Amino acid sequence: MSARSAGDGSVSLLTLELRYEHDVVLARQRARQLAGLLGFDVQEQTRVATAVSEIARNAHEYAGGGQVRFRIVRDPDGPSVFSVRVRDQGPGIADVDAILDGRYVSRTGMGLGILGARRLSDRFHLESAPGKGTTVEIGRALPHNARFTMADADRVVSAIAQGTSQSPFEEIQRQNQELLQALDEVRTGRAQVEQLNIELESTNRGVLALYAELDDRAQDLKRASEYKSRFLSDISHELRTPLTSVLNLTRLLLDRTDGELTGEQEYQVSLVRDSVGTVIDLVNELLDLARIEAGRTTLRPTEFTIGSFFASLQGIARPLLVSDRVTLHVDRQQDATMMFTDEKRLAQILRNFVSNAIKFTEAGEIRIAAQPESDDSVRFLVSDTGVGIAPQHQSKIFEDFVQVDGPIQRRVRGTGLGLPLSRKLAGLLGGRVELESAEGKGSVFSVVIPRVLAESDVLEAAGMDGEPA
């Protein structure tokens, strides 16, 4: 006795005719035996045997008999499937959809058997029509992604042929044992579920307490942030007035309004002016940061060309050059491109880039350029031939008050707020800041912003995004 290969790629293992009631028991036995020979574990064998028994019993009771065909459906792209097809020539099922949806159960429980068999199967297919009979095919994938060969099929068929069949009484005993074992598993599972429910309830209480604590901490952090922003805003306003007065006084002295100064006096007054200028820059940056964090930044978008913007930026940047060894170049290729955004904030970002480039470039050139992006954005770049930034420091320089230690850093003044502020301003403009740098080869700072500032970005910056700021 050997297996037969069908034209559809399947391998037929065994066919049984359902004529008498003990044939239903035989179909169950063969289903379990074949499942065991194919490598299914005991629980899987029971599932397959139970599903086959239910469908075979339906065929015997409602159609007066039928045929059970056991086969392997081979799949070249996946595991083979142990398939059992039960076919009858009975009256058929009037409303298949109602049974499969669980909406119909006959007085004899026919619908329950079909639904149960479907739940026990990986694959389930039912075809039926009144007067044309019913075909039900159930299947389970072979374990361990097994691929089935004809040699495997011959081995299974030979083992079945040599085996002995149990009597119906022995099969019923075994079925009862399986039922008792299933009941024990259900009881064990129920006890585990109850224990899990207790643990889950305890965990839920813990999670609720944790969320409550997190809410309290969030409120504390929110209040602390508001206090910090208010403090920075107040102290900045209080400092700007006297600092501006001192700066104006140094300007009067250097302009010789009250008489000539000696060389030493001019040097000392210049030191005072530079120091005051550093403090004023710090105060202005702190005030801008406080406004951004509090959601109180006002954006005023206007229409301008990149050419006019670069002209203004070049006029601001040139006085910052203190060495003839550094030159400033402005790329004019995109001069005619129109922008609609906050020109003042964009200039503030690029001024910070240019200022840093000047500080850390002892000789070479600084170049300002603009490039269109594919998403209707514009990339503004400030490149230099300065000392560059090591990879491990490139993320740190965007943190508040952080400066990279180095020989040049010790000679130049700075607050460590320019780049963090630039990144936050870029976010308000709907864009981002990017950096490319290598030690000894210079740096390229760029800001990418939309060519047209969205109205939602204007409202969000001012704390008007639909929620109280």
Side-chain angles (χ1 to χ4, degrees):
M1 184 175 181
S2 60
R4 299 191 309 274
S5 178
D8 59 358
S10 64
V11 179
S12 179
L13 301 176
L14 182 66
T15 301
L16 296 176
E17 298 295 331
L18 296 172
R19 297 188 180 93
Y20 309 104
E21 186 161 355
H22 66 79
D23 290 333
V24 176
V25 177
L26 182 61
R28 178 186 178 91
Q29 289 177 347
R30 290 293 185 255
R32 181 192 295 107
Q33 291 169 352
L34 287 169
L37 292 170
L38 293 171
F40 290 97
D41 61 27
V42 175
Q43 289 186 351
E44 292 294 313
Q45 294 172 32
T46 301
R47 290 189 179 95
V48 171
T50 303
V52 171
S53 177
E54 287 297 321
I55 301 302
R57 190 175 304 280
N58 280 346
H60 179 265
E61 290 185 4
Y62 297 102
Q67 185 186 74
V68 183
R69 182 185 178 195
F70 300 91
R71 61 180 186 151
I72 298 295
V73 178
R74 293 185 292 183
D75 185 352
D77 299 323
S80 300
V81 175
F82 178 37
S83 173
V84 184
R85 177 182 291 174
V86 180
R87 177 179 294 170
D88 65 59
Q89 299 297 324
I93 303 173
D95 194 347
V96 174
D97 292 337
I99 291 178
L100 295 180
D101 293 341
R103 293 182 283 109
Y104 169 78
V105 179
S106 70
R107 289 178 296 174
T108 56
M110 177 181 177
L112 180 62
I114 292 177
L115 287 177
R118 184 170 70 169
R119 294 191 184 99
L120 293 172
S121 308
D122 289 337
R123 304 185 185 184
F124 183 91
H125 180 69
L126 187 153
E127 291 183 4
S128 184
K132 295 184 179 180
T134 300
T135 300
V136 179
E137 185 166 0
I138 59 178
R140 293 192 72 86
L142 295 188
H144 313 300
N145 293 325
R147 284 176 169 78
F148 204 74
T149 65
M150 287 301 298
D152 295 325
D154 290 338
R155 174 182 57 81
V156 169
V157 171
S158 177
I160 286 290
Q162 294 174 7
T164 58
S165 298
Q166 294 174 308
S167 67
F169 178 73
E170 290 174 333
E171 179 63 24
I172 291 174
Q173 282 185 321
R174 179 160 186 165
Q175 187 173 351
N176 288 338
Q177 291 173 355
E178 292 172 352
L179 179 60
L180 290 174
Q181 182 180 359
L183 288 174
D184 287 339
E185 292 176 357
V186 168
R187 292 191 188 100
T188 302
R190 182 178 299 171
Q192 293 175 345
V193 168
E194 290 176 355
Q195 181 62 32
L196 287 173
N197 284 336
I198 294 172
E199 294 177 0
L200 180 60
E201 184 178 355
S202 176
T203 302
N204 283 343
R205 287 195 295 267
V207 171
L208 287 174
L210 179 60
Y211 272 118
E213 185 175 353
L214 288 174
D215 286 341
D216 292 340
R217 294 292 180 271
Q219 292 298 324
D220 292 342
L221 288 173
K222 183 178 179 181
R223 284 193 293 269
S225 179
E226 290 174 352
Y227 292 152
K228 183 191 75 171
S229 299
R230 189 179 304 168
F231 168 78
L232 289 176
S233 180
D234 292 344
I235 198 68
S236 298
H237 282 296
E238 293 297 326
L239 287 174
R240 289 174 77 182
T241 300
L243 288 173
T244 303
S245 299
V246 173
L247 191 62
N248 289 333
L249 287 173
T250 59
R251 187 178 296 112
L252 289 174
L253 291 172
L254 291 174
D255 288 343
R256 275 56 172 190
T257 303
D258 293 328
E260 288 296 324
L261 300 176
T262 65
E264 182 62 23
Q265 288 173 334
E266 183 175 1
Y267 173 72
Q268 292 176 356
V269 171
S270 297
L271 288 180
V272 172
R273 179 195 61 191
D274 294 342
S275 298
V276 171
T278 300
V279 177
I280 289 179
D281 290 342
L282 173 60
V283 169
N284 289 334
E285 289 171 348
L286 284 172
L287 186 57
D288 283 336
L289 286 172
R291 285 172 176 164
I292 292 174
E293 291 180 359
R296 291 287 184 265
T297 303
T298 301
L299 297 180
R300 296 183 173 86
T302 57
E303 192 174 54
F304 58 90
T305 64
I306 291 180
S308 63
F309 172 72
F310 274 177
S312 300
L313 184 64
Q314 187 174 13
I316 296 172
R318 285 201 181 280
L320 300 177
L321 293 172
V322 294
S323 172
D324 294 337
R325 301 173 62 195
V326 180
T327 57
L328 178 67
H329 299 281
V330 177
D331 188 344
R332 299 290 185 182
Q333 292 185 15
Q334 303 299 323
D335 275 6
T337 302
M338 295 296 301
M339 300 286 297
F340 182 78
T341 189
D342 192 319
E343 185 177 8
K344 177 183 175 182
R345 298 301 183 184
L346 177 59
Q348 189 173 358
I349 296 171
L350 292 182
R351 266 203 317 272
N352 283 330
F353 291 170
V354 173
S355 176
N356 279 345
I358 291 173
K359 289 177 185 177
F360 298 101
T361 304
E362 294 183 309
E365 68 173 15
I366 298 169
R367 186 173 294 274
I368 304 173
Q371 297 174 356
E373 298 284 296
S374 59
D375 58 350
D376 202 29
S377 297
V378 178
R379 179 184 297 271
F380 293 89
L381 308 97
V382 176
S383 58
D384 63 62
T385 57
V387 295
I389 305 167
Q392 66 269 25
H393 298 312
Q394 291 183 13
S395 60
K396 295 180 180 179
I397 61 174
F398 290 99
E399 299 175 8
D400 294 350
F401 300 105
V402 172
Q403 293 178 306
V404 178
D405 192 23
I408 295 181
Q409 182 65 60
R410 299 188 188 101
R411 298 199 303 268
V412 299
R413 60 188 178 92
T415 63
L417 290 176
L419 291 177
L421 177 59
S422 296
R423 172 172 281 183
K424 291 178 180 179
L425 288 174
L428 293 180
L429 297 178
R432 63 187 185 276
V433 169
E434 297 179 359
L435 167 63
E436 295 180 11
S437 185
E439 284 187 285
K441 297 182 179 180
S443 304
V444 179
F445 285 88
S446 59
V447 55
V448 183
I449 63 169
R451 195 177 59 80
V452 177
L453 179 63
E455 184 177 355
S456 58
D457 290 327
V458 178
L459 296 176
E460 185 176 353
M464 300 169 59
D465 54 345
E467 299 181 2

